[in-house]
């Protein structure tokens, strides 16, 4: 497929990316202010990570978007249609410029001002509504031993349960209380016997 647009990164902030998207093919329309098209564009540098022109950008393969999208096998038209709005909250077009609002700073962290490439990306509509996505942790969870339980998040109920005493502790406390009562009774009886002895 022939290249449709020439893209250049003009700016990157925590929540937004500004791209210049110029038509290079006569059949290319205006750059679409849609989430799917925007996601295609911001994913382009990752797909081009092996190209000579991107060899200086060694960080591309470790980008959060790579981990979330799962690579080229997952990054299909169907996946983009269902997930684009999870990464891109809003796109505004002003002439050849696209201002892309991201749902999380991680989705644009791989882009660098001055990056430039040609793309075959095209408009396939706005995509389906999707909840904003948060990046998955970089490191996998530490493996646990077979008998070890996974700790649960401590909500209000869990915290209350954690504070509650176990049956063994309750029983131990009851035994202590009983022993203390008996000791008090023995002392009281001893005092009474001593008084009776003195008075007699």
């Amino acid at each position: 497929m022939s290249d449709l647009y020439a893209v250049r990164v003009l700016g990157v902030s925590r929540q937004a990316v500004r791209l210049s998207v110029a038509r290079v093919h006569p059949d290319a329309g205006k750059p679409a202010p849609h989430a799917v098209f925007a996601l295609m564009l911001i994913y382009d540098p990752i797909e081009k990570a092996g190209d000579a022109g991107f060899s200086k950008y060694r960080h591309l393969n470790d980008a959060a978007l790579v981990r979330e999208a799962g690579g080229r096998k997952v990054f299909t038209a169907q996946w983009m249609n269902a997930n684009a709005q999870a990464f891109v909250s809003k796109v505004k077009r002003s002439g050849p410029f696209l201002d892309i609002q991201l749902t999380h700073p991680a989705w644009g962290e791989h882009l660098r001002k001055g990056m430039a490439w040609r793309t075959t990306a095209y408009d396939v509509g706005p995509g389906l509504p999707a909840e904003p996505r948060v990046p998955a942790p970089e490191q996998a969870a530490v493996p646990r031993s077979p008998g070890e339980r996974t700790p649960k998040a401590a909500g209000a109920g869990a915290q209350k349960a954690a504070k509650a005493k176990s049956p063994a502790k309750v029983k131990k406390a009851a035994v202590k209380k009983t022993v203390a009562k008996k000791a008090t009774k023995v002392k009281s009886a001893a005092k009474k016997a001593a008084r009776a002895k003195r008075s007699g």
Side-chain angles (χ1 to χ4, degrees):
M1 186 175 178
S2 301
D3 292 329
L4 301 176
Y5 304 93
V7 185
R8 180 176 290 275
V9 180
L10 300 180
V12 183
S13 68
R14 281 183 58 77
Q15 297 294 342
V17 176
R18 183 162 231 233
L19 303 179
S20 166
V21 187
R23 289 181 282 182
V24 295
H25 193 283
D27 293 337
K30 291 180 180 178
H34 292 148
V36 179
F37 182 64
L39 185 59
M40 285 182 190
L41 295 181
I42 64 177
Y43 196 80
D44 268 343
I46 292 168
E47 286 206 326
K48 296 177 185 295
D51 295 357
F54 282 81
S55 60
K56 63 180 178 180
Y57 302 116
R58 297 182 181 180
H59 66 284
L60 289 170
N61 290 323
D62 297 321
L65 194 55
V66 175
R67 294 193 298 274
E68 199 62 38
R72 296 183 184 191
K73 289 181 182 177
V74 175
F75 208 77
T76 61
Q78 185 179 357
W79 185 92
M80 284 186 285
N81 190 54
N83 293 278
Q85 290 191 33
F87 301 93
V88 176
S89 61
K90 188 178 179 183
V91 185
K92 184 180 177 183
R93 183 181 66 214
S94 177
F97 307 115
L98 285 184
D99 290 298
I100 303 166
Q101 298 288 325
L102 305 171
T103 61
H104 192 280
W107 310 137
E109 69 180 5
H110 62 287
L111 299 173
R112 300 289 183 269
K113 186 177 179 180
M115 271 184 175
W117 65 94
R118 292 199 167 199
T119 184
T120 57
Y122 57 95
D123 182 27
V124 290
L128 301 171
E131 288 294 317
R133 192 77 50 87
V134 175
E138 288 187 41
Q139 296 177 345
V142 177
R144 299 182 178 277
S145 59
E148 191 178 357
R149 290 184 179 181
T150 305
K152 293 182 181 177
Q159 287 174 349
K160 195 173 180 182
K163 287 180 183 177
K165 292 181 180 179
S166 66
K169 284 185 178 178
V170 171
K171 189 175 180 181
K172 194 174 180 181
V175 170
K176 272 188 175 180
K177 202 172 181 181
T178 305
V179 170
K181 276 185 180 178
K182 283 184 179 178
T184 304
K185 282 182 181 178
V186 170
K187 280 183 184 178
S188 181
K191 281 181 182 178
K192 281 182 183 177
R195 280 190 210 129
K197 195 174 181 182
R198 278 199 295 267
S199 60

